[in-house]
Structures are given as structure tokens and as C-alpha cells.
Amino acid sequence: MDTKKLIAEEIAKVVPELEQDTILNLLETPKNSDMGDLAFPAFSLAKVLRKAPQMIASDIAEKIDASNFEKVEAVGPYINFFLDKAKISATVLSQVLEAGSDYANQDLGQGRNIAFDMSSPNIAKPFSIGHLRSTVIADSLANIVAKLGYNPVRINHLGDWGKQFGMLIVAYKKWGDKEAVEANPIAELLKLYVRINAEAEEDPSLDEEAREWFRKLEAGDEEATSLWQWFRDESLVEFNRLYNELNVSFDSYNGEAFYNDKMDEIVELLEAKGLLEESQGAQVVKLDKYGIEHPALIKKSDGATLYITRDLAAALYRKRTYDFAKSIYVVGNEQSAHFKQLKAVLKEMGYDWSDDMTHVAFGLVTKGGKKLSTRKGNVILLEPTIAEAVSRAASQIEAKNPNLANKEAVAHAVGVGAIKFYDLKTDRMNGYDFDLEAMVSFEGETGPYVQYAHARIQSILRKAEFTVDVNKVYSLKDAESWEIIKLIQDFPRIIVRASDNFEPSIIAKYAISLAQAFNKYYAHTRILDESPERDSRLALSYATATVLKEALRLLGVEAPNEM
Ligand code: ARG
């Protein structure tokens, strides 16, 4: 039920001078709910009707069919509409109680695929906070579009190809220790990589050796391939441990290496379309007409392909494999020039579906207000950080609810949820400061705050032994419950807005508002007291918990029933 539209319709009936859409755009939500739920300003009619706005307002207020509303009144130049709370709350509550977690499901996608390029860490390198952001934001967006009837395809475009693997092979053959790598894959491989780079500065022959090994790898040499495979497998063991902690999974781990045999086609296509030009021995595509200054570098003078060549092959492969409605790349803002080039080259190739590709960028995370820098030792190591978040959550739970049954699982849900929620509540283009204490706090705009509101409602419902009766009419008309009803009614639109803007923060902020509105209600209303309204209050609580849990699920955050 769209109440705004209902009001616009009623106004249009008595103001034929204005189109219904114009009215819809003019309707305002008053700052203070004493002024109604929606207000129509009469200013724009003054010219047309040659009357003072105050007069127009009171004329309209008189003519409007008020039977649909609690009250319609003119105040100065505004007509204020008070919706019929009893009627609307009954409708909204019955919708949520009947649908449960399916409430607000929509079929905009009709089962079409949306590809998400997400997480995509580099083999043998540490999983960075940027990779975490990509993982968490994309996973949430995938949940959001699934709720709208699309089929999300989560693709981990691993950085598992490139000359650095030649370096790594040389280093491992010289100094590597199998057991050390197996015990601590990323740290050990990184050490080897750092060392070979340092030594290559003194001894350029190492570079030449590395290039040779990468050439062998590209040609499918057995030793090179099995070492590469092993580096990849060992790194993935570590990454997967993290994905497990985060409760994120993928439909595909096809990374850059997967496209090794699919790049010739790209180069041939570019050639056939006459798009390749030579520049200092390299093959490039000029993109001036897209306002892009730097040409896309497709092939180096030594014949080696590049990051963008692999991304071109990946884009085409995804279009063919998934016939995506949209293809989303959740990658840090520092790669925005790359994705502009990628889209433009595909467009040049005549692929209009390049318009369906979006780089969903995000900002940088700082720590203690300073930029992260491995060199300066300002780093966030994810596994120990998650463990720390979980242990902080555990001690808060210990203090609040020492007899809780499954403390460990709840602490995990709260600790991990806290990190995810903090990331997701920020507009993604804004970075944030990684502040574990603020993240895990039960107060403020945090994950634990929302989770706690949900758990509190569950405990009220348990105490009341409330069960849903879909044949019953639950209805409320007090001001505090009305704030909650309006929010719940808004949930379907909120999800669409989050999806349109690729912005999970819209859901996170919504969850905070709903939790706050409920806490306010709880402070004013003795929900469990005997009263003719008791069942409706419980139904409202139940509906709030349902929507809170669903909003958290869209963010990839669990909602324990007790905490
Ligand atoms: N591996 C890259 C990095 O860590 C991110 C890859 C992003 N996805 C892509 N299709 N280019 O910077």
C-alpha cells in the first residue's frame, strides 16, 4: 500500500489543475508528526488560481474526502494529512505476519543474473582491508538483489596470474621450505616475494630468470604449473578460513589465470575491429573520444598481456556464461580509471552490454586516523582482529547474560556482525576509521545495538508466549507505534533504493532507525501489561523483529534470538 500515492490521488480529484505526478513530487513529510504524516504545500497553485496559498489550502482541505484519513486540516499554506493509523497498521501488520521473512520480497529481477566481481585477493599476498570491504559490501548487495528477484552470481576474481608468479617460483626454488609454507602460507610466500624483489635490484639476472619461469608457466610447463597450483591452493586454504569466519561463499573462483587461454580471442577481436594501435612497441586502444586520456594497454612489447586484457576476457566470458542483466565490480575507488577503460574498450568493440557494467567503488579505511601502510607498520591483520572482536563481544555477553546457553556462537555472531555492520553503515564512498571498540559497542549506531534490540523483542515474545494468528486483526493507533508502522511499511522501498544505489548503508541506517523506534516504544509502552491492545502490541513487536532480522540478513549479519 502506497499511502503517498493515495493522498496524491485524493488531491488530484479536487485540484484538476495539477497532474498527479506533480502532486506526488510536491508532497512533503513534515518534520514534526503533529503536522501530520504528509503535507501538501499550496504555494505553487497561487499563480494558477490567483488566490493566496492560505485560502487555497483551506479550500482544498474542505473539499477532500476525509473518510480515508484520521484527519485532514489546513495550517497556513499547507494541507496536513493524518493517515488512518488503525486501518494502516492493521494492513501492514497482517502483511508482515503472513509473509514472515518473505515480507518485502519483490520480483523486479525475474530470475535474471547479476554478476558480482568481489573480494578477489591476490595469491601469496595478504588479504587486505580493501578485500574485506569488497567481500562484505558485495555479499550484502548480492543478498539485496536476490530479495528483488535477481539471481546473484558471486565471483572471486582471484589475482592468481602475472609475472610475480615467475618471481615466486624462482624464490621458492632458491630459498623455499615446504613445511614453512604449509604452516603459514601467505606470510611465508610473502617473505619469499619480498626477498626476491630486493635481491633482484642488485642482481638483474634474477628478473630474467623470473620472466623465463613465467613464460614456462604460461606455456603450461609441468613444474611451473604444479608450483603455481600449490601456491594457489595453500593461499586459498588461508583465504577460505577467513571466508568461513565471515560466512561468505562464492559461486566461482575463476581468477585471472582462468583467462590465460581466452585472451588471444580478445586480441584477435580488437585487431579485426581495427582498434589496436602500436605505441612504443606495445599494443594499445585509444579512448580519447570517451574523454579518457590514457590509452588501454592490451599487450606489452614482449607480448605479455595485462590486468585489463584479462578483465576484458572475463567480461566477455561472464556475458556469455551468465547472460547477466548487470555486472557489478565491487573494487576500491583507486581502480576507477581501470574500470572506466574496461567499459570503454568493450563499448568500442560494439558490446552495448558494457553499459550494464558498474564499478561499485568504496573509500579507504584508516586506523587511528592514519592511512594503512605495511611499510610503516600500520596494518590490520584480519584473523586476529576478528578474534579480538569476538572476544570483546564475549565479555559483554558475559556481563549482560552470564547464563546464556550458546555463548560462543552468539559471541561470534556479534563480533563478526559488528565489523560487517560498521563497514556497511557508512556510505560506501566514504572511508572510515577502523575502531574495534566503537564497532563492538552495544550502544550507538552499531550492529550489536540492532542485534540486541532484536534479541530483546524475542525475549518479550517468549515471555508472552506469543504466537501469530493470521485470522486476527491487529491494529494500533498511538503515536509511538505509528513511527514503527511507517518504517515497516517503508521496507520494500528501502530495499529498492539500496539496490538502485548499490548502497547497503541504506539498509543499515534503516535497521538502526527501526531499532531506535522500537526502543522508544518499549520505553513508553508496557507491552506485556493486560490491555485490549496487548495482542496488537505483541504483533507489532513480532513484526519489528521479523523486519530487523531480515534487514540484518541482507547485510550478512546474524540475528541471535538471545544475547
Ligand atoms: N586482485 C585485485 C586487487 O587485489 C582486485 C581485482 C578486482 N577485480 C577485477 N575484475 N579487476 O587489487
Side-chain angles (χ1 to χ4, degrees):
M1 179 184 33
D2 191 337
T3 42
K4 209 167 175 182
K5 220 159 153 200
L6 177 104
I7 294 176
E9 260 166 40
E10 292 302 323
I11 298 175
K13 281 186 204 157
V14 298
V15 187
E17 291 83 358
L18 292 182
E19 298 276 340
Q20 200 176 303
D21 276 345
T22 316
I23 299 173
L24 213 50
N25 285 327
L26 285 170
L27 281 171
E28 297 172 9
T29 307
K31 293 232 159 47
N32 184 339
S33 48
D34 292 350
M35 309 300 276
D37 300 297
L38 282 161
F40 180 75
F43 303 107
S44 59
L45 281 168
K47 247 201 193 132
V48 199
L49 300 175
R50 298 169 171 281
K51 268 204 269 185
Q54 284 86 339
M55 295 258 294
I56 301 171
S58 60
D59 277 358
I60 295 178
E62 230 158 81
K63 281 192 218 150
I64 286 257
D65 175 5
S67 64
N68 280 314
F69 303 98
E70 221 165 73
K71 164 167 93 167
V72 178
E73 66 182 12
V75 175
Y78 287 93
I79 306 128
N80 296 338
F81 292 85
F82 295 77
L83 293 166
D84 187 335
K85 299 187 182 68
K87 204 156 131 190
I88 292 173
S89 63
T91 315
V92 172
L93 290 175
S94 86
Q95 281 172 354
V96 182
L97 269 43
E98 258 173 61
S101 61
D102 286 343
Y103 173 67
N105 281 9
Q106 292 161 75
D107 195 21
L108 300 174
Q110 301 180 314
R112 284 173 300 162
N113 288 331
I114 297 187
F116 286 92
D117 186 300
M118 59 190 279
S119 198
S120 312
N122 302 318
I123 298 303
K125 299 255 181 74
F127 191 101
S128 73
I129 197 85
H131 297 123
L132 177 79
R133 290 212 77 186
S134 166
T135 310
V136 168
I137 294 171
D139 188 54
S140 172
L141 290 174
N143 293 333
I144 290 167
V145 302
K147 181 122 182 123
L148 299 179
Y150 289 95
N151 177 49
V153 185
R154 293 169 167 87
I155 303 168
N156 196 335
H157 188 77
L158 292 171
D160 56 2
W161 207 245
K163 197 198 127 203
Q164 70 267 30
F165 287 94
M167 296 292 262
L168 212 51
I169 291 174
V170 174
Y172 179 73
K173 285 172 73 74
K174 281 194 192 313
W175 314 299
D177 172 348
K178 187 156 188 276
E179 266 143 46
V181 172
E182 274 166 358
N184 233 335
I186 309 270
E188 219 34 57
L189 293 173
L190 184 66
K191 231 191 269 169
L192 289 171
Y193 184 67
V194 170
R195 177 160 176 200
I196 185 97
N197 275 294
E199 301 211 3
E201 288 205 0
E202 312 289 302
D203 177 4
S205 79
L206 287 174
D207 246 338
E208 194 34 58
E209 233 180 292
R211 237 191 303 275
E212 183 51 33
W213 273 103
F214 184 55
R215 252 192 299 271
K216 282 192 188 174
L217 181 60
E218 285 194 293
D221 171 86
E222 204 176 307
E223 187 184 3
T225 307
S226 85
L227 277 172
W228 168 81
Q229 185 70 49
W230 182 62
F231 298 152
R232 189 181 190 271
D233 291 346
E234 289 299 326
S235 301
L236 269 179
V237 168
E238 212 167 314
F239 294 151
N240 279 328
R241 217 163 47 222
L242 197 59
Y243 294 138
N244 247 341
E245 288 280 302
L246 295 171
N247 198 14
V248 173
S249 57
F250 300 92
D251 300 296
S252 162
Y253 284 90
N254 286 342
E256 296 186 38
F258 179 76
Y259 301 100
N260 188 28
D261 63 357
K262 298 172 182 61
M263 282 183 288
D264 284 348
E265 185 192 359
I266 293 293
V267 176
E268 278 156 26
L269 283 167
L270 286 168
E271 226 150 44
K273 293 183 183 179
L275 296 173
L276 280 186
E277 287 180 46
E278 201 173 306
S279 165
Q280 297 163 339
Q283 301 289 316
V284 306
V285 178
K286 292 213 171 124
L287 299 166
D288 310 77
K289 70 167 157 194
Y290 295 87
I292 298 174
E293 187 191 346
H294 298 289
L297 183 52
I298 304 294
K299 220 171 177 177
K300 287 204 253 183
S301 51
D302 65 0
T305 55
L306 289 118
Y307 184 51
I308 195 167
T309 327
R310 296 189 275 279
D311 256 329
L312 287 165
L316 186 57
Y317 176 84
R318 287 173 194 171
K319 185 62 195 175
R320 286 173 178 161
T321 309
Y322 305 114
D323 190 25
F324 55 72
K326 299 179 201 179
S327 183
I328 309 300
Y329 295 79
V330 184
V331 185
N333 195 33
E334 65 282 359
Q335 293 196 29
S336 76
H338 166 75
F339 287 105
K340 281 201 186 103
Q341 286 192 335
L342 179 63
K343 283 187 64 159
V345 174
L346 289 163
K347 191 84 177 177
E348 268 300 89
M349 293 171 82
Y351 297 131
D352 281 336
W353 48 260
S354 136
D355 294 337
D356 304 325
M357 290 167 46
T358 306
H359 175 209
V360 171
F362 51 80
L364 284 178
V365 171
T366 54
K367 195 182 169 199
K370 294 199 192 76
K371 261 180 97 166
L372 296 171
S373 147
T374 329
R375 217 162 27 83
K376 294 190 182 140
N378 202 29
V379 287
I380 297 170
L381 297 171
L382 284 169
E383 279 186 279
T385 303
I386 291 176
E388 169 72 16
V390 171
S391 105
R392 282 175 189 241
S395 43
Q396 298 198 61
I397 289 164
E398 198 58 57
K400 274 187 185 305
N401 192 356
N403 298 320
L404 182 64
N406 46 348
K407 270 187 235 173
E408 259 169 54
V410 176
H412 190 267
V414 174
V416 172
I419 295 177
K420 286 188 178 184
F421 192 93
Y422 203 83
D423 186 296
L424 293 172
K425 75 162 182 182
T426 323
D427 296 2
R428 62 180 157 74
M429 284 306 278
N430 296 341
Y432 60 90
D433 198 59
F434 200 96
D435 177 351
L436 209 52
E437 185 163 340
M439 289 175 176
V440 190
S441 168
F442 279 49
E443 259 112 73
E445 303 183 340
T446 67
Y449 174 81
V450 179
Q451 287 172 320
Y452 192 67
H454 169 266
R456 170 140 82 183
I457 299 174
Q458 294 297 353
S459 124
I460 296 170
L461 296 171
R462 274 194 303 274
K463 240 181 246 160
E465 293 179 16
F466 177 76
T467 48
V468 174
D469 179 354
V470 283
N471 297 312
K472 224 172 147 161
V473 176
Y474 301 106
S475 148
L476 291 161
K477 49 183 197 290
D478 64 286
E480 269 90 27
S481 69
W482 183 236
E483 294 307 314
I484 301 175
I485 293 290
K486 278 193 289 187
L487 281 167
I488 293 179
Q489 180 178 232
D490 228 14
F491 191 42
R493 270 191 298 267
I494 292 285
I495 299 167
V496 172
R497 224 188 323 129
S499 162
D500 285 349
N501 296 294
F502 304 110
E503 193 63 91
S505 65
I506 293 175
I507 306 275
K509 286 175 184 151
Y510 171 83
I512 292 166
S513 305
L514 183 56
Q516 285 170 341
F518 187 84
N519 285 342
K520 202 164 159 196
Y521 179 69
Y522 184 73
H524 279 81
T525 317
R526 306 181 66 93
I527 298 177
L528 289 168
D529 278 7
E530 259 337 300
S531 139
E533 281 193 339
R534 186 173 187 264
D535 274 353
S536 295
R537 290 174 181 162
L538 288 166
L540 177 74
S541 307
Y542 182 94
T544 306
T546 304
V547 174
L548 280 179
K549 182 172 186 152
E550 186 60 5
L552 288 173
R553 186 189 68 78
L554 293 177
L555 300 172
V557 175
E558 286 176 76
N561 283 335
E562 277 182 84
M563 52 188 275

PDB file of all heavy atoms in Angstrom, residues 117 119-122 131 157-159 256 307 311 318 329-331 335 338-339, ligand 1:
ATOM      1  N   ASP A 117      31.636  -9.220  -9.117  1.00  0.00           N
ATOM      2  CA  ASP A 117      33.077  -9.416  -9.026  1.00  0.00           C
ATOM      3  C   ASP A 117      33.469  -8.911  -7.651  1.00  0.00           C
ATOM      4  O   ASP A 117      33.316  -7.734  -7.341  1.00  0.00           O
ATOM      5  CB  ASP A 117      33.749  -8.602 -10.140  1.00  0.00           C
ATOM      6  CG  ASP A 117      35.239  -8.824 -10.238  1.00  0.00           C
ATOM      7  OD1 ASP A 117      35.955  -8.545  -9.250  1.00  0.00           O
ATOM      8  OD2 ASP A 117      35.690  -9.270 -11.312  1.00  0.00           O
ATOM      9  N   SER A 119      35.652  -9.495  -3.647  1.00  0.00           N
ATOM     10  CA  SER A 119      36.737  -9.992  -2.791  1.00  0.00           C
ATOM     11  C   SER A 119      38.069  -9.993  -3.539  1.00  0.00           C
ATOM     12  O   SER A 119      38.885  -9.127  -3.350  1.00  0.00           O
ATOM     13  CB  SER A 119      36.409 -11.385  -2.231  1.00  0.00           C
ATOM     14  OG  SER A 119      37.239 -11.623  -1.125  1.00  0.00           O
ATOM     15  N   SER A 120      38.282 -10.987  -4.392  1.00  0.00           N
ATOM     16  CA  SER A 120      39.410 -11.005  -5.336  1.00  0.00           C
ATOM     17  C   SER A 120      40.772 -10.664  -4.759  1.00  0.00           C
ATOM     18  O   SER A 120      41.455  -9.756  -5.267  1.00  0.00           O
ATOM     19  CB  SER A 120      39.093 -10.081  -6.522  1.00  0.00           C
ATOM     20  OG  SER A 120      37.797 -10.332  -7.012  1.00  0.00           O
ATOM     21  N   PRO A 121      41.199 -11.356  -3.703  1.00  0.00           N
ATOM     22  CA  PRO A 121      42.535 -11.101  -3.172  1.00  0.00           C
ATOM     23  C   PRO A 121      43.598 -11.682  -4.100  1.00  0.00           C
ATOM     24  O   PRO A 121      43.265 -12.398  -5.043  1.00  0.00           O
ATOM     25  CB  PRO A 121      42.524 -11.866  -1.841  1.00  0.00           C
ATOM     26  CG  PRO A 121      41.570 -12.996  -2.060  1.00  0.00           C
ATOM     27  CD  PRO A 121      40.501 -12.448  -2.989  1.00  0.00           C
ATOM     28  N   ASN A 122      44.826 -11.339  -3.844  1.00  0.00           N
ATOM     29  CA  ASN A 122      45.923 -11.826  -4.670  1.00  0.00           C
ATOM     30  C   ASN A 122      46.620 -12.996  -3.979  1.00  0.00           C
ATOM     31  O   ASN A 122      46.918 -12.929  -2.785  1.00  0.00           O
ATOM     32  CB  ASN A 122      46.909 -10.686  -4.922  1.00  0.00           C
ATOM     33  CG  ASN A 122      46.226  -9.511  -5.605  1.00  0.00           C
ATOM     34  OD1 ASN A 122      45.415  -9.709  -6.511  1.00  0.00           O
ATOM     35  ND2 ASN A 122      46.499  -8.309  -5.138  1.00  0.00           N
ATOM     36  N   HIS A 131      40.072  -5.768   0.474  1.00  0.00           N
ATOM     37  CA  HIS A 131      39.421  -7.013   0.064  1.00  0.00           C
ATOM     38  C   HIS A 131      38.263  -7.343   1.003  1.00  0.00           C
ATOM     39  O   HIS A 131      37.242  -7.864   0.580  1.00  0.00           O
ATOM     40  CB  HIS A 131      40.439  -8.166   0.048  1.00  0.00           C
ATOM     41  CG  HIS A 131      41.544  -7.962  -0.941  1.00  0.00           C
ATOM     42  ND1 HIS A 131      42.873  -7.960  -0.586  1.00  0.00           N
ATOM     43  CD2 HIS A 131      41.516  -7.716  -2.282  1.00  0.00           C
ATOM     44  CE1 HIS A 131      43.613  -7.733  -1.663  1.00  0.00           C
ATOM     45  NE2 HIS A 131      42.809  -7.580  -2.701  1.00  0.00           N
ATOM     46  N   HIS A 157      37.344 -13.119  -8.320  1.00  0.00           N
ATOM     47  CA  HIS A 157      38.290 -12.946  -9.428  1.00  0.00           C
ATOM     48  C   HIS A 157      39.712 -12.897  -8.853  1.00  0.00           C
ATOM     49  O   HIS A 157      40.358 -11.837  -8.800  1.00  0.00           O
ATOM     50  CB  HIS A 157      37.941 -11.645 -10.166  1.00  0.00           C
ATOM     51  CG  HIS A 157      38.694 -11.402 -11.440  1.00  0.00           C
ATOM     52  ND1 HIS A 157      38.409 -12.032 -12.617  1.00  0.00           N
ATOM     53  CD2 HIS A 157      39.730 -10.565 -11.721  1.00  0.00           C
ATOM     54  CE1 HIS A 157      39.219 -11.600 -13.568  1.00  0.00           C
ATOM     55  NE2 HIS A 157      40.036 -10.702 -13.046  1.00  0.00           N
ATOM     56  N   LEU A 158      40.185 -14.063  -8.416  1.00  0.00           N
ATOM     57  CA  LEU A 158      41.479 -14.134  -7.735  1.00  0.00           C
ATOM     58  C   LEU A 158      42.614 -13.547  -8.570  1.00  0.00           C
ATOM     59  O   LEU A 158      42.676 -13.775  -9.782  1.00  0.00           O
ATOM     60  CB  LEU A 158      41.810 -15.595  -7.426  1.00  0.00           C
ATOM     61  CG  LEU A 158      40.954 -16.304  -6.386  1.00  0.00           C
ATOM     62  CD1 LEU A 158      41.295 -17.794  -6.375  1.00  0.00           C
ATOM     63  CD2 LEU A 158      41.170 -15.693  -5.009  1.00  0.00           C
ATOM     64  N   GLY A 159      43.497 -12.844  -7.899  1.00  0.00           N
ATOM     65  CA  GLY A 159      44.706 -12.359  -8.560  1.00  0.00           C
ATOM     66  C   GLY A 159      45.735 -13.478  -8.542  1.00  0.00           C
ATOM     67  O   GLY A 159      46.589 -13.541  -7.665  1.00  0.00           O
ATOM     68  N   GLU A 256      42.234 -14.563 -12.486  1.00  0.00           N
ATOM     69  CA  GLU A 256      42.904 -14.098 -13.699  1.00  0.00           C
ATOM     70  C   GLU A 256      43.489 -15.248 -14.523  1.00  0.00           C
ATOM     71  O   GLU A 256      43.445 -15.224 -15.751  1.00  0.00           O
ATOM     72  CB  GLU A 256      43.994 -13.090 -13.321  1.00  0.00           C
ATOM     73  CG  GLU A 256      43.409 -11.836 -12.674  1.00  0.00           C
ATOM     74  CD  GLU A 256      44.468 -10.771 -12.432  1.00  0.00           C
ATOM     75  OE1 GLU A 256      45.358 -10.618 -13.288  1.00  0.00           O
ATOM     76  OE2 GLU A 256      44.408 -10.100 -11.379  1.00  0.00           O
ATOM     77  N   TYR A 307      46.598  -6.908 -16.843  1.00  0.00           N
ATOM     78  CA  TYR A 307      45.414  -6.940 -15.977  1.00  0.00           C
ATOM     79  C   TYR A 307      44.146  -6.658 -16.777  1.00  0.00           C
ATOM     80  O   TYR A 307      43.162  -7.395 -16.714  1.00  0.00           O
ATOM     81  CB  TYR A 307      45.643  -5.883 -14.896  1.00  0.00           C
ATOM     82  CG  TYR A 307      44.617  -5.762 -13.792  1.00  0.00           C
ATOM     83  CD1 TYR A 307      44.202  -6.870 -13.061  1.00  0.00           C
ATOM     84  CD2 TYR A 307      44.117  -4.499 -13.440  1.00  0.00           C
ATOM     85  CE1 TYR A 307      43.294  -6.722 -12.012  1.00  0.00           C
ATOM     86  CE2 TYR A 307      43.221  -4.348 -12.388  1.00  0.00           C
ATOM     87  CZ  TYR A 307      42.805  -5.462 -11.683  1.00  0.00           C
ATOM     88  OH  TYR A 307      41.917  -5.305 -10.647  1.00  0.00           O
ATOM     89  N   ASP A 311      40.758  -8.793 -17.751  1.00  0.00           N
ATOM     90  CA  ASP A 311      39.411  -8.316 -17.394  1.00  0.00           C
ATOM     91  C   ASP A 311      38.495  -8.242 -18.614  1.00  0.00           C
ATOM     92  O   ASP A 311      37.279  -8.440 -18.490  1.00  0.00           O
ATOM     93  CB  ASP A 311      39.497  -6.936 -16.713  1.00  0.00           C
ATOM     94  CG  ASP A 311      39.292  -7.056 -15.197  1.00  0.00           C
ATOM     95  OD1 ASP A 311      38.555  -7.962 -14.776  1.00  0.00           O
ATOM     96  OD2 ASP A 311      39.878  -6.244 -14.446  1.00  0.00           O
ATOM     97  N   ARG A 318      31.819 -13.744 -18.882  1.00  0.00           N
ATOM     98  CA  ARG A 318      30.660 -13.640 -17.984  1.00  0.00           C
ATOM     99  C   ARG A 318      29.381 -13.349 -18.758  1.00  0.00           C
ATOM    100  O   ARG A 318      28.314 -13.857 -18.426  1.00  0.00           O
ATOM    101  CB  ARG A 318      30.902 -12.548 -16.938  1.00  0.00           C
ATOM    102  CG  ARG A 318      31.920 -12.984 -15.909  1.00  0.00           C
ATOM    103  CD  ARG A 318      32.298 -11.865 -14.965  1.00  0.00           C
ATOM    104  NE  ARG A 318      33.499 -12.253 -14.233  1.00  0.00           N
ATOM    105  CZ  ARG A 318      34.198 -11.452 -13.465  1.00  0.00           C
ATOM    106  NH1 ARG A 318      33.816 -10.183 -13.313  1.00  0.00           N
ATOM    107  NH2 ARG A 318      35.276 -11.887 -12.852  1.00  0.00           N
ATOM    108  N   TYR A 329      31.212  -4.668 -10.301  1.00  0.00           N
ATOM    109  CA  TYR A 329      32.582  -4.841  -9.813  1.00  0.00           C
ATOM    110  C   TYR A 329      32.732  -4.069  -8.510  1.00  0.00           C
ATOM    111  O   TYR A 329      32.716  -2.840  -8.520  1.00  0.00           O
ATOM    112  CB  TYR A 329      33.590  -4.304 -10.831  1.00  0.00           C
ATOM    113  CG  TYR A 329      33.597  -5.071 -12.138  1.00  0.00           C
ATOM    114  CD1 TYR A 329      32.617  -4.841 -13.108  1.00  0.00           C
ATOM    115  CD2 TYR A 329      34.560  -6.040 -12.393  1.00  0.00           C
ATOM    116  CE1 TYR A 329      32.613  -5.555 -14.301  1.00  0.00           C
ATOM    117  CE2 TYR A 329      34.562  -6.759 -13.593  1.00  0.00           C
ATOM    118  CZ  TYR A 329      33.586  -6.514 -14.533  1.00  0.00           C
ATOM    119  OH  TYR A 329      33.577  -7.222 -15.714  1.00  0.00           O
ATOM    120  N   VAL A 330      32.837  -4.805  -7.421  1.00  0.00           N
ATOM    121  CA  VAL A 330      32.984  -4.127  -6.135  1.00  0.00           C
ATOM    122  C   VAL A 330      34.473  -4.080  -5.798  1.00  0.00           C
ATOM    123  O   VAL A 330      35.059  -5.045  -5.294  1.00  0.00           O
ATOM    124  CB  VAL A 330      32.171  -4.835  -5.030  1.00  0.00           C
ATOM    125  CG1 VAL A 330      32.262  -4.052  -3.722  1.00  0.00           C
ATOM    126  CG2 VAL A 330      30.715  -4.980  -5.467  1.00  0.00           C
ATOM    127  N   VAL A 331      35.078  -2.958  -6.140  1.00  0.00           N
ATOM    128  CA  VAL A 331      36.531  -2.799  -6.044  1.00  0.00           C
ATOM    129  C   VAL A 331      36.823  -1.370  -5.591  1.00  0.00           C
ATOM    130  O   VAL A 331      36.092  -0.442  -5.925  1.00  0.00           O
ATOM    131  CB  VAL A 331      37.203  -3.053  -7.424  1.00  0.00           C
ATOM    132  CG1 VAL A 331      38.721  -2.998  -7.308  1.00  0.00           C
ATOM    133  CG2 VAL A 331      36.769  -4.388  -8.033  1.00  0.00           C
ATOM    134  N   GLN A 335      40.829   2.016  -8.223  1.00  0.00           N
ATOM    135  CA  GLN A 335      40.865   1.359  -9.535  1.00  0.00           C
ATOM    136  C   GLN A 335      39.830   1.933 -10.504  1.00  0.00           C
ATOM    137  O   GLN A 335      39.507   1.312 -11.516  1.00  0.00           O
ATOM    138  CB  GLN A 335      40.674  -0.155  -9.375  1.00  0.00           C
ATOM    139  CG  GLN A 335      41.858  -0.804  -8.666  1.00  0.00           C
ATOM    140  CD  GLN A 335      41.901  -2.325  -8.821  1.00  0.00           C
ATOM    141  OE1 GLN A 335      41.439  -2.884  -9.800  1.00  0.00           O
ATOM    142  NE2 GLN A 335      42.479  -2.986  -7.825  1.00  0.00           N
ATOM    143  N   HIS A 338      40.840   2.219 -14.171  1.00  0.00           N
ATOM    144  CA  HIS A 338      40.879   0.907 -14.828  1.00  0.00           C
ATOM    145  C   HIS A 338      39.487   0.500 -15.325  1.00  0.00           C
ATOM    146  O   HIS A 338      39.330   0.058 -16.467  1.00  0.00           O
ATOM    147  CB  HIS A 338      41.425  -0.135 -13.844  1.00  0.00           C
ATOM    148  CG  HIS A 338      41.207  -1.556 -14.267  1.00  0.00           C
ATOM    149  ND1 HIS A 338      41.948  -2.155 -15.264  1.00  0.00           N
ATOM    150  CD2 HIS A 338      40.314  -2.493 -13.861  1.00  0.00           C
ATOM    151  CE1 HIS A 338      41.533  -3.401 -15.434  1.00  0.00           C
ATOM    152  NE2 HIS A 338      40.540  -3.633 -14.591  1.00  0.00           N
ATOM    153  N   PHE A 339      38.490   0.665 -14.470  1.00  0.00           N
ATOM    154  CA  PHE A 339      37.155   0.215 -14.871  1.00  0.00           C
ATOM    155  C   PHE A 339      36.529   1.133 -15.919  1.00  0.00           C
ATOM    156  O   PHE A 339      35.734   0.685 -16.742  1.00  0.00           O
ATOM    157  CB  PHE A 339      36.254   0.012 -13.642  1.00  0.00           C
ATOM    158  CG  PHE A 339      36.646  -1.229 -12.880  1.00  0.00           C
ATOM    159  CD1 PHE A 339      37.335  -1.144 -11.680  1.00  0.00           C
ATOM    160  CD2 PHE A 339      36.378  -2.484 -13.397  1.00  0.00           C
ATOM    161  CE1 PHE A 339      37.732  -2.297 -11.002  1.00  0.00           C
ATOM    162  CE2 PHE A 339      36.766  -3.644 -12.739  1.00  0.00           C
ATOM    163  CZ  PHE A 339      37.444  -3.543 -11.538  1.00  0.00           C
TER     164      PHE A 339
HETATM  165  N1  ARG B   1      43.093  -8.608  -7.354  1.00  0.00           N
HETATM  166  C1  ARG B   1      42.814  -7.215  -7.473  1.00  0.00           C
HETATM  167  C2  ARG B   1      43.436  -6.457  -6.296  1.00  0.00           C
HETATM  168  O1  ARG B   1      43.657  -7.027  -5.252  1.00  0.00           O
HETATM  169  C3  ARG B   1      41.341  -6.897  -7.487  1.00  0.00           C
HETATM  170  C4  ARG B   1      40.601  -7.473  -8.653  1.00  0.00           C
HETATM  171  C5  ARG B   1      39.319  -6.761  -8.902  1.00  0.00           C
HETATM  172  N2  ARG B   1      38.519  -7.345  -9.935  1.00  0.00           N
HETATM  173  C6  ARG B   1      38.750  -7.244 -11.242  1.00  0.00           C
HETATM  174  N3  ARG B   1      37.984  -7.857 -12.066  1.00  0.00           N
HETATM  175  N4  ARG B   1      39.729  -6.491 -11.723  1.00  0.00           N
HETATM  176  O2  ARG B   1      43.693  -5.267  -6.421  1.00  0.00           O
END
